[in-house]
Each structure stands twice: as C-alpha cells, then as structure tokens.
Amino acid sequence: MGRAPCCTKVGLHRGPWTPREDTLLINYVQTHGEGHWRSLPKKAGLLRCGKSCRLRWMNYLRPDIKRGNISTDEDDLIIRLHSLLGNRWSLISGRLPGRTDNEIKNYWNTYLSKRLLSQGIDPNTHKKLPKPVVQQVSKRKNSRGSNNKQNPKKAKATLEPAVIPKVHLPKPSKATSIYFPRNDSFDQCNTFSTVCSSQGEEGKGTQVIQGPWSEYVSHGENGTGFLSESGCHPRVPSIEGDNSLEKLYEEYLQLLKANEDQLQLDAFAESLLI
DNA sequence: AACGGTACCAACCGCAATCAA
DNA sequence: GTTGATTGCGGTTGGTACCGT
C-alpha cells in the first residue's frame, strides 16, 4: 500500500525549535488539545510537519515532563523493566511518570547499557557475559534539558567500541499503552496534570513544574485552566498518586522475593501491556 | 589557543498499527 | 473487506558542548 508522506517537506522548517515555535505550539494545544497533528501546523501557524509537532510536544513541551536527574531508583526500575519488556520504550516510560520514551531510550543507550556491559551483563539479554567488558561509565550529572549545561568533569566513558552484539529480536506486536483517548486529555484529566514528584530531590509530595512549561504555565490560582491539581499522570492513569513509582517498584520486588518463578515475572510483564 | 574526540540529546526517518470512509 | 490517512514507536543521525592533548 503506497503511503503518502506525512507532509510535503518543501518549505517546512526543520531542526531545532525556536521559542516562538514552541509558544505557538503550546498555545494551540492549550486551546484545542492534542491530536490532529497533521492539520495542526497550518492552524497553529507553524511551518513544521505534524509529525515534528507531535514529537516536540510529546518529548519536550508536555507539562508533565520531568527532565534530568534520573534517580537511582528510576535507574533500577528502567533496567528491570527493560529486562522484562525489551526496547519497548513507550511502555517503560509509561511506568515512569514524567519521563518520555525518548529520554529513557537516550539514557539507556548512553549510560545504562554501558553500565551493564561494565558489570559483565549483556544489555540486550540481561544475562551474564562470559567476560565483563572493562570500561568506565559516567553517571549523567545533569541533562542539558534541565538547563544545566556545565556538566562538570564529564568523565569519559571510554567505551572501547566494545562491539556490542546487536541482537535482533523479533518485533513485538504492538501493545496498546495506557492512554486517554485523543483530544480528551484536557477533559478527562481535568486538563494537564502537574508532575508528581514521587521521590528524591524535590521533596516528597511536591508538585513540580519543570522544563519549558515553567515559562508558559499560567500562574493563576491553582494553575487555572491549564494545570490542574489533580496530580494524575495522563499516561499512567492506573497508577495514581505521588508514589506510583514506588508502588510499581515494590510490586516488582515482591515478585522477585516471593518467587523466582519466571511465569510470575512474565505475568507481571503482561500486566504492563494492558 | 586550537584541534580532535567524545558524550549527550533533540530531532528525524521509516515502518507498523490503527482509524475512518 | 479495502484503501488511504493518521498516529505511535523504535532506531538512527546530527548538532553542540565539553574535555583532553
């Protein structure tokens, strides 16, 4: 089936987004909601293809995005979820409130996979390698996205091109991730949620607005109209509240403790594929 | 100071799934 | 059931900041 490109590339902007473009996109989504990405650029006055708009929104402009400072708990959870789900980044990110699939994918590729290798674990199979790959891996201090560009002493991850064996697993059938229906995000979750900070740096239970939204968010009473106090994560409706990450983590640990039975772990993985 | 190498991450690309007529 | 449009996902690329020499 011949498939038309998502947009005609002629005359469209590419590359990094400007603050003005961001503002246009945010204003449009704020007014009309997500969805209809194809027609969005025209209506919003953007010279971008819809795909690009969607990506920018999903990975950077969404108000519930938590950027940088991936905690050790999150590290651990990502590794465990990856061992269960493989490279299904959207599913993994769906279990990590405020994290995007792109961020987790980048984080995995630039840090976690190397760390596993250095520990003698194959990042693809999560099984012990015959020989540990000797390398130093630097823990990411801060992300550029968190407006902290001075990565002090960025330790070199002198990764000897440690020939990472590329395992081509059969593509998993697409699992429906937990989403509210398109265009309903504003209504169903009482517009957008603020980020539920489940742990760590920002203090428990505090609601944190990070990233570019901090500039755009209306500062009216309780974020009137755009940011709600509901605290629900639009992508993780099944796990609400401030300790969703902890809950999931505990759930997983209990399974590990209770029974090493692979069936149970598989069942757990299945449950993530709802 | 200049240069080259590396790490990071935003953005792009192509494909598959899903939706709608 | 078929076809074309739209959306979502995962892999990859390219720009840039930083570091060591």
Side-chain angles (χ1 to χ4, degrees):
Chain A
M1 158 169 70
R3 196 171 147 268
C6 75
C7 56
T8 55
K9 306 280 180 186
V10 186
L12 294 182
H13 287 173
R14 298 185 60 191
W17 281 65
T18 65
R20 188 182 118 76
E21 288 177 312
D22 282 348
T23 309
L24 283 172
L25 179 55
I26 289 166
N27 286 340
Y28 185 88
V29 177
Q30 182 177 2
T31 311
H32 299 94
E34 294 181 42
H36 298 114
W37 296 108
R38 188 177 165 83
S39 60
L40 183 149
K42 200 175 178 183
K43 292 177 182 170
L46 284 161
L47 285 168
R48 293 272 182 175
C49 82
K51 209 170 179 177
S52 180
C53 293
R54 179 189 161 273
L55 204 69
R56 181 65 177 171
W57 174 257
M58 300 301 274
N59 287 336
Y60 201 82
L61 297 177
R62 267 178 21 209
D64 55 326
I65 286 176
K66 184 165 64 175
R67 307 194 68 78
N69 297 323
I70 291 180
S71 68
T72 48
D73 279 353
E74 284 175 308
D75 264 13
D76 206 35
L77 186 56
I78 291 169
I79 292 169
R80 289 169 188 279
L81 286 172
H82 185 271
S83 73
L84 286 169
L85 302 169
N87 290 1
R88 280 176 276 189
W89 307 114
S90 63
L91 283 175
I92 295 173
S93 67
R95 296 284 158 176
L96 286 155
R99 302 294 183 189
T100 69
D101 53 356
N102 208 32
E103 184 179 18
I104 290 171
K105 182 171 58 183
N106 283 331
Y107 189 62
W108 177 268
N109 288 331
T110 58
Y111 172 64
L112 290 179
S113 65
K114 293 171 187 173
R115 194 180 81 184
L116 288 183
L117 271 178
S118 73
Q119 293 169 349
I121 297 168
D122 186 331
N124 293 306
T125 62
H126 293 260
K127 290 179 181 168
K128 280 268 176 193
L129 289 166
K131 273 186 183 176
V133 179
V134 179
Q135 56 183 308
Q136 296 162 354
V137 180
S138 64
K139 165 82 178 179
R140 185 177 62 168
K141 304 283 189 209
N142 284 298
S143 74
R144 280 196 273 180
S146 61
N147 281 339
N148 195 343
K149 297 197 173 191
Q150 68 270 22
N151 254 354
K153 305 246 174 191
K154 193 166 37 179
K156 265 194 182 173
T158 43
L159 176 57
E160 174 154 331
V163 190
I164 300 170
K166 200 154 192 181
V167 177
H168 289 285
L169 299 166
K171 270 212 164 181
S173 61
K174 208 162 216 171
T176 311
S177 31
I178 305 159
Y179 273 103
F180 286 126
R182 285 183 210 129
N183 291 328
D184 291 346
S185 53
F186 283 86
D187 298 323
Q188 299 222 5
C189 198
N190 187 17
T191 74
F192 293 99
S193 70
T194 46
V195 174
C196 308
S197 176
S198 61
Q199 58 202 303
E201 307 92 324
E202 281 88 19
K204 298 215 171 197
T206 55
Q207 293 187 326
V208 183
I209 299 163
Q210 292 176 324
W213 272 95
S214 54
E215 295 168 29
Y216 299 115
V217 162
S218 83
H219 294 287
E221 314 100 55
N222 301 332
T224 319
F226 201 31
L227 293 173
S228 77
E229 295 281 308
S230 67
C232 69
H233 188 273
R235 303 185 70 181
V236 196
S238 60
I239 301 178
E240 296 184 359
D242 291 336
N243 55 351
S244 58
L245 185 57
E246 286 168 13
K247 272 185 188 169
L248 180 67
Y249 190 61
E250 277 171 23
E251 192 181 338
Y252 187 87
L253 283 180
Q254 276 173 10
L255 264 181
L256 280 180
K257 281 178 195 163
N259 197 342
E260 294 290 335
D261 187 353
Q262 186 61 37
L263 282 176
Q264 283 215 32
L265 289 176
D266 288 346
F268 179 75
E270 284 296 317
S271 77
L272 300 179
L273 300 176
I274 297 164

